[in-house]
């Protein structure tokens, strides 16, 4: 099949995914829905890898752009969505409804990854946010607070983004990313700088940069574990992708301002996330604040404002997604059994060895311990800061990595306490997600070259974005 035919095949596959979500409501057979949507996502991932290797660079349907950056992320998001779908299968009663919402959200995620205009990003962000809010609310009245807070966060983000787009309308009525970049090449224009600041604020709400992380821990702790895995593992990563696209294409002429803003965001976000995580006894809240600190590490790569920095950001986005999805799969499974607080985790090692070892490895990877994937990601992030002349920022990042060892180490010590108790059995859904996530962080921790190579090609294509 020719590359041009495969290009047309890609939007058709995305449409099929949405269609499968719709018929899931009427079909009512969960196994069919799980199998069919997983197959389509797997095909999207494979097609994306092929287009990445072929170095395709073209506009599709005027609003989408197929190039190495979008194809690498499309492949990653497709793989991660399969894991989330398998986790959703644990809730068989609501699985078809969740699959429908996930399919719509997936379409928005794919559009953002391939966005060719600011309007695409705005509309796709809403398409991602609304189904996610409904997923949280779907799980009963006791989830109303978490759903309401997530709704307010998303509404604020969309409203601020809309205002940012309105400010640059006089400079570019087409809203095309590349055209806007050429139009906004105006040094010292305060309206343009205000628009950039508003874009950063809008994405910072979704990505949970300090001080825009209001209610993030409440949303994480108030949502079902499998929904939290989706929010932390995928939704937040979509915000980082949108940030990269807007800042490094539309505002390419403002590198010094971007670097300065993200240096500040990185420092405050890392310290806030790690210091507050130390005080947590609720495990979901601990991982929520840990995710905030991880956003700070990613901000270090953005602050470097270089191809190496973008490479590091892409690598860390992939790394943290699989780490946090695997970790929340275990947290969700234990939550269902009433194991919620730090003290409840005492003796987990004697109750289920696989869960204990897996959770330990996920946390060690988040802390940046070699030879795990999280170590490679942090090494690339801090290296990009050093090469960008931000030595102090890199040292602050290393310091925060040591701070995180405290609360990860505390939980690990609780897990391996000698405390006789009843064994726990892992469900196949949780076991599958955990094993795949473990395989990813181990393989790309020991042999990261393929992903680094792909991320490097993707980073260069973003910097040299040509519609």
């Amino acid at each position: 099949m020719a590359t041009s035919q495969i290009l047309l095949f890609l939007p058709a596959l995305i449409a099929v995914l949405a269609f499968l979500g719709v018929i899931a409501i009427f079909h009512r057979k969960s196994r069919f829905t799980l199998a069919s949507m997983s197959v389509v996502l797997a095909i999207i991932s494979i097609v994306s890898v092929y287009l990445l290797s072929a170095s395709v660079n073209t506009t599709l349907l005027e609003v989408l752009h197929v190039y190495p950056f979008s194809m690498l992320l499309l492949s990653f998001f497709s793989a991660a969505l399969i894991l989330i779908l398998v986790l959703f299968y644990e809730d068989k009663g609501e699985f078809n409804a969740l699959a429908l919402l996930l399919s719509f959200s997936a379409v928005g995620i794919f559009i953002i990854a391939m966005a060719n205009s600011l309007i695409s990003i705005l509309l796709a962000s809403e398409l991602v946010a609304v189904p996610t809010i409904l997923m949280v609310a779907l799980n009963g009245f006791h989830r109303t607070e978490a759903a309401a807070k997530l709704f307010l966060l998303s509404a604020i983000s969309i409203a601020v983004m809309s205002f940012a787009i309105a400010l640059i309308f006089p400079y570019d009525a087409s809203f095309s990313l590349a055209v806007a970049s050429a139009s906004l090449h105006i040094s010292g224009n305060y309206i343009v700088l205000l628009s950039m600041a508003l874009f950063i604020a809008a994405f910072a709400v979704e990505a949970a940069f300090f001080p825009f992380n209001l209610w993030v821990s409440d949303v994480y702790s108030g949502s079902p574990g499998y929904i939290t895995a989706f929010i932390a593992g995928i939704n937040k990563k979509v915000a980082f992708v949108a940030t990269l696209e807007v800042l490094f294409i539309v505002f390419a002429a403002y590198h010094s301002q971007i670097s300065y803003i993200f240096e500040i965001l990185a420092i405050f976000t890392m310290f806030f996330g790690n210091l507050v995580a130390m005080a947590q006894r609720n495990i979901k809240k601990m991982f929520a604040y840990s995710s905030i600190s991880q956003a700070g590490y990613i901000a270090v790569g953005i602050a470097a404002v270089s191809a190496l920095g973008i490479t590091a950001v892409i690598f860390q986005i992939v790394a943290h997604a699989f780490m946090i999805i695997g970790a929340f799969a275990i947290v969700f499974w234990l939550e269902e059994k009433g194991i919620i607080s730090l003290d409840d985790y005492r003796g987990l090692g004697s109750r289920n060895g696989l869960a204990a070892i897996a959770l330990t490895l996920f946390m060690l990877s988040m802390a940046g311990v070699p030879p795990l994937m999280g170590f490679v990601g942090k090494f690339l992030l801090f290296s990009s800061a050093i090469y960008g002349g931000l030595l102090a920022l890199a040292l602050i990042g290393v310091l925060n990595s040591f701070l995180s060892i405290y609360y990860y180490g505390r939980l690990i010590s609780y897990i391996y306490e000698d405390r006789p108790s009843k064994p726990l059995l892992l469900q196949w859904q949780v076991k599958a997600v955990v094993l795949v996530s473990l395989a990813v962080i181990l393989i790309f921790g020991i042999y990261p070259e393929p992903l680094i190579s792909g991320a490097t090609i993707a980073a260069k294509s973003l910097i040299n974005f040509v519609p």
Side-chain angles (χ1 to χ4, degrees):
M1 186 181 290
T3 301
S4 59
Q5 292 175 303
I6 293 176
L7 281 172
L8 294 174
F9 191 48
L10 190 60
L13 280 171
I14 295 173
V16 167
L17 181 68
F19 177 71
L20 286 172
V22 172
I23 67 172
I25 295 296
F26 304 101
H27 198 278
R28 303 307 299 172
K29 288 188 178 179
S30 299
R31 288 185 181 179
F32 169 79
T33 303
L34 175 62
S36 58
M37 289 183 66
S38 297
V39 168
V40 172
L41 285 167
I43 295 173
I44 291 174
S45 184
I46 292 168
V47 169
S48 301
V49 171
Y50 170 78
L51 294 174
L52 171 63
S53 64
S55 298
V56 174
N57 190 339
T58 185
T59 301
L60 190 63
L61 306 177
E62 298 302 323
V63 294
L64 303 177
H65 194 65
V66 179
Y67 64 124
F69 177 80
S70 63
M71 290 303 95
L72 177 61
L73 290 165
L74 211 65
S75 177
F76 150 64
F77 282 129
S78 299
L81 283 166
I82 293 174
L83 297 185
I84 296 298
L85 196 62
V86 172
L87 267 186
F88 282 4
Y89 192 70
E90 178 66 20
D91 188 353
K92 292 184 178 63
E94 299 291 350
F95 176 74
N96 286 335
L98 289 168
L100 169 65
L101 294 171
L102 183 72
S103 67
F104 289 160
S105 191
V107 173
I109 290 166
F110 295 155
I111 290 173
I112 289 176
M114 297 188 291
N116 194 43
S117 74
L118 292 171
I119 298 300
S120 297
I121 293 175
L122 177 66
L123 296 178
S125 296
E126 293 191 62
L127 190 55
V128 173
V130 174
T132 306
I133 295 164
L134 294 175
M135 287 181 200
V136 178
L138 191 66
N139 283 269
F141 185 77
H142 62 295
R143 306 292 187 186
T144 304
E145 181 184 351
K149 288 180 176 179
L150 183 58
F151 168 77
L152 289 172
L153 288 172
S154 300
I156 291 169
S157 176
I158 297 297
V160 173
M161 196 190 313
S162 300
F163 187 35
I165 292 174
L167 285 177
I168 64 173
F169 179 76
Y171 303 96
D172 172 37
S174 72
F175 298 118
S176 166
L177 295 182
V179 175
S181 177
S183 303
L184 300 181
H185 197 86
I186 308 169
S187 179
N189 187 301
Y190 292 107
I191 298 297
V192 174
L193 287 173
L194 176 59
S195 175
M196 185 181 74
L198 290 172
F199 269 116
I200 292 173
F203 296 135
V205 171
E206 297 290 344
F209 290 126
F210 180 87
F212 304 96
N213 49 18
L214 182 69
W215 295 332
V216 167
S217 66
D218 294 336
V219 171
Y220 278 34
S221 60
S223 304
Y226 52 85
I227 304 296
T228 307
F230 175 60
I231 295 171
I234 297 181
N235 279 21
K236 276 184 62 176
K237 307 305 180 280
V238 174
F240 295 131
V241 171
T243 302
L244 291 176
E245 290 174 333
V246 171
L247 294 184
F248 288 92
I249 298 176
V250 177
F251 297 100
Y254 296 85
H255 279 184
S256 59
Q257 292 90 341
I258 292 170
S259 179
Y260 180 72
I261 291 170
F262 275 89
E263 280 182 65
I264 296 172
L265 286 176
I267 293 170
F268 281 101
T269 304
M270 285 187 290
F271 274 116
F272 176 81
N274 283 318
L275 292 175
V276 178
M278 290 180 180
Q280 301 305 310
R281 306 296 294 182
N282 180 289
I283 296 301
K284 285 175 78 173
K285 287 198 171 187
M286 187 198 83
F287 277 116
Y289 287 108
S290 165
S291 291
I292 291 172
S293 72
Q294 295 290 333
Y297 300 131
I298 290 174
V300 172
I302 299 175
V305 194
S306 64
L308 178 58
I310 298 172
T311 300
V313 169
I314 294 171
F315 190 97
Q316 187 65 7
I317 284 173
V318 176
H320 186 253
F322 284 102
M323 291 186 287
I324 201 67
I325 288 173
F328 269 119
I330 296 171
V331 170
F332 156 62
W333 165 65
L334 292 172
E335 183 182 40
E336 294 291 297
K337 301 180 183 305
I339 300 173
I340 298 171
S341 70
L342 185 64
D343 291 324
D344 296 335
Y345 277 68
R346 292 180 186 272
L348 176 62
S350 61
R351 304 184 75 180
N352 191 292
L354 174 60
I357 293 170
L359 190 56
T360 299
L361 289 174
F362 290 136
M363 288 190 289
L364 291 176
S365 185
M366 289 179 201
V369 175
L372 301 170
M373 195 176 180
F375 166 75
V376 180
K378 286 188 177 180
F379 178 81
L380 291 172
L381 288 168
F382 301 153
S383 295
S384 70
I386 293 171
Y387 281 114
L390 305 174
L391 177 60
L393 182 61
L395 292 175
I396 291 172
V398 173
L399 171 62
N400 273 274
S401 293
F402 281 111
L403 289 177
S404 69
I405 292 174
Y406 168 76
Y407 55 86
Y408 292 135
R410 180 179 60 184
L411 179 54
I412 291 170
S413 68
Y414 277 42
I415 287 173
Y416 292 101
E417 276 190 14
D418 187 13
R419 189 178 184 185
S421 51
K422 189 177 180 180
L424 296 171
L425 183 65
L426 268 177
Q427 289 94 333
W428 73 265
Q429 298 95 324
V430 177
K431 186 181 292 186
V433 171
V434 167
L435 289 176
V436 171
S437 300
L438 266 182
V440 171
I441 69 167
L442 286 170
I443 292 170
F444 287 116
I446 297 169
Y447 184 59
E449 283 81 3
L451 182 55
I452 292 175
S453 176
T456 302
I457 295 169
K460 290 178 179 177
S461 72
L462 179 70
I463 291 176
N464 302 311
F465 184 88
V466 178

